[in-house]
């Protein structure tokens, strides 16, 4: 019976890690990555900037030609700002996002490995007994 508390603790720890991994892919982290890659925070002030801001899709990086240059813009509608980067900064951003996704996949694989090592027999069996709920 002593295994039950340790199994419960393991399941809780895995659930917390899974929630943290889910939060790691949220919008604020994407903004932080863009800023770390060198994107600048711009608040639209001119009518031309405001019109461009209104056209930008939410939750994506959009290439935009502006005054003869190619920029990558990410709309942050919760703050009314735009994150703006050039081609070099966008390349760094893509690389950083790639590494973030790889880290998240490694974390998920570790969670699956941990779940495979749990002694499910302490829960009353396993196998087909779990299909309809806990075994009697």
């Amino acid at each position: 019976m002593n295994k039950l508390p340790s199994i419960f603790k393991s399941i809780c720890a895995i659930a917390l890690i899974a929630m943290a991994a889910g939060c790691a892919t949220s919008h604020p982290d994407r903004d932080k990555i863009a800023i770390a890659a060198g994107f600048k925070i711009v608040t639209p002030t001119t009518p031309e900037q405001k019109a461009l801001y209104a056209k930008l899709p939410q939750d994506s990086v959009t290439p935009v030609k502006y005054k003869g240059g190619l920029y990558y813009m990410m709309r942050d509608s919760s703050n009314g700002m735009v994150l703006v980067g050039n081609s070099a900064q966008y390349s760094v951003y893509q690389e950083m996002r790639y590494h973030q996704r790889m880290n998240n996949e490694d974390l998920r694989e570790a969670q699956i490995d941990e779940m495979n090592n749990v002694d499910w027999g302490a829960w009353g069996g396993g196998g087909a007994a779990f299909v309809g709920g806990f075994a009697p």
Side-chain angles (χ1 to χ4, degrees), residues 41-116:
I41 300 171
V42 177
T43 302
T45 54
T46 68
E48 184 182 12
Q49 290 173 340
K50 289 179 181 180
L52 180 59
Y53 174 81
K55 293 178 184 177
L56 291 174
Q58 184 65 29
D59 296 330
S60 65
V61 179
T62 306
V64 175
K65 289 186 181 180
Y66 183 76
K67 293 188 178 183
L70 180 62
Y71 298 94
Y72 294 86
M73 299 183 171
M74 185 183 319
R75 180 179 175 171
D76 181 358
S77 59
S78 61
N79 295 316
M81 296 183 262
V82 179
L83 297 168
V84 181
N86 59 28
S87 295
Q89 293 161 335
Y90 180 64
S91 293
V92 172
Y93 169 79
Q94 286 180 307
E95 184 73 19
M96 293 173 80
R97 289 278 298 183
Y98 171 78
H99 287 294
Q100 179 192 37
R101 282 191 298 275
M102 291 298 102
N103 288 338
N104 288 342
E105 286 181 24
D106 290 344
L107 178 60
R108 279 190 290 276
E109 287 176 19
Q111 291 168 344
I112 290 169
D113 288 344
E114 179 67 26
M115 291 302 292
N116 288 336

Side-chain angles (χ1 to χ4, degrees), residues 28-46:
D29 279 351
R30 195 175 61 230
D31 292 352
K32 289 177 187 176
I33 291 172
I35 292 167
F39 279 55
K40 305 294 182 225
I41 300 171
V42 177
T43 302
T45 54
T46 68

